[in-house]
Amino acid sequence: ITEAELTIGEQVEADKMLFKVIDLETLWVEAQVYETDLASIEKSKEARISTRAYEGEFFTGRLFTLGNVVDEITRTVRVIFEVKNTDYKLRVGMFADVSIEFGAPKEVLVVPRNAVTSVGGKNVIFVHIDPEYFIGREVLLGDQNGDFVEIKSGLEIGERVVTTGNYQ
C-alpha cells in the first residue's frame, strides 16, 4: 500500500478510492534513446541501471518495449526496461542512469558534433595550428553518440578543434 485515502471510522462512497497498491518487486525504467542507437538496443535487449542513492550498485533491466515514435525535437525514442526489484531498493519516481552495452568496447577518436561543419557537401573540421591560424580538414565520420561523433580519418589524437564559430 503506497497511499491510503481514508481515515478510521470514515464513511465512504462506492466510487471513492481507498488505497493505492503497487507491486514494487518489478519496476519499469524509462529511458530516452537516440534514434541512431535503436538497432543496437534491439540486439542488446539488456541495460545496466544505476542510481545516485546506491552508488556503485547496478540493477539489470530487460528490454520491455521500444517506442514507435521519434520525438521531433530531441530525436529520441522512449524505451522501457523491466527491472527486478526483489530487495526493494528502487522506488517509484527515482531518477536512474541507464547504460546499454552494444558489444566489446573500443577506443575511438570523438569530437563534439558541433565541431563538424559542411563545406561544399564535405564534412570539415577546423584545426588550430598556430595562434590565430586554423586550417579546415575534410574528415570521415563514424558512429554518433549523443552530442559526439566518431572521426575515422582526417584528425589525429591531441589536435585542437574549433567547436563554436566555425564559419568565422
Side-chain angles (χ1 to χ4, degrees):
I1 296 176
T2 58
E3 289 182 34
E5 296 288 327
L6 70 148
T7 57
I8 295 175
E10 177 183 353
Q11 271 192 316
V12 294
E13 302 294 322
D15 63 342
K16 181 176 176 166
M17 181 178 85
L18 303 178
F19 301 101
K20 187 182 271 187
V21 179
I22 298 177
D23 177 11
L24 298 173
E25 201 163 294
T26 302
L27 296 179
W28 287 351
V29 174
E30 180 181 325
Q32 300 297 323
V33 177
Y34 287 104
E35 63 181 310
T36 54
D37 296 330
L38 291 178
S40 298
I41 289 172
E42 289 172 339
K43 291 176 192 170
S44 174
K45 301 220 186 276
E46 279 194 359
R48 189 172 154 172
I49 295 158
S50 62
T51 64
R52 290 193 177 169
Y54 300 102
E55 293 274 340
E57 194 166 346
F58 298 96
F59 307 88
T60 300
R62 181 184 60 82
L63 180 62
F64 183 76
T65 186
L66 187 59
N68 293 316
V69 178
V70 176
D71 184 285
E72 293 178 16
I73 296 170
T74 62
R75 306 308 303 166
T76 60
V77 174
R78 183 175 175 224
V79 179
I80 297 175
F81 295 95
E82 184 178 79
V83 180
K84 296 295 180 195
N85 188 33
T86 53
D87 53 4
Y88 301 103
K89 288 185 177 179
L90 298 177
R91 308 293 199 282
V92 174
M94 285 179 103
F95 284 99
D97 291 317
V98 178
S99 301
I100 302 163
E101 294 184 16
F102 300 130
K106 61 179 182 175
E107 288 192 23
V108 296
L109 176 61
V110 296
V111 297
R113 190 182 316 180
N114 59 349
V116 181
T117 58
S118 180
V119 177
K122 297 178 180 179
N123 292 312
V124 175
I125 288 185
F126 290 93
V127 181
H128 184 237
I129 303 297
D130 285 319
E132 304 297 322
Y133 183 67
F134 300 86
I135 188 166
R137 285 206 201 133
E138 184 178 356
V139 291
L140 178 62
L141 302 181
D143 294 330
Q144 293 185 24
N145 184 0
D147 293 331
F148 294 92
V149 63
E150 176 186 2
I151 304 298
K152 291 189 174 243
S153 67
L155 186 67
E156 298 296 322
I157 293 175
E159 291 185 299
R160 296 175 62 195
V161 299
V162 176
T163 57
T164 57
N166 302 18
Y167 280 103
Q168 296 175 355

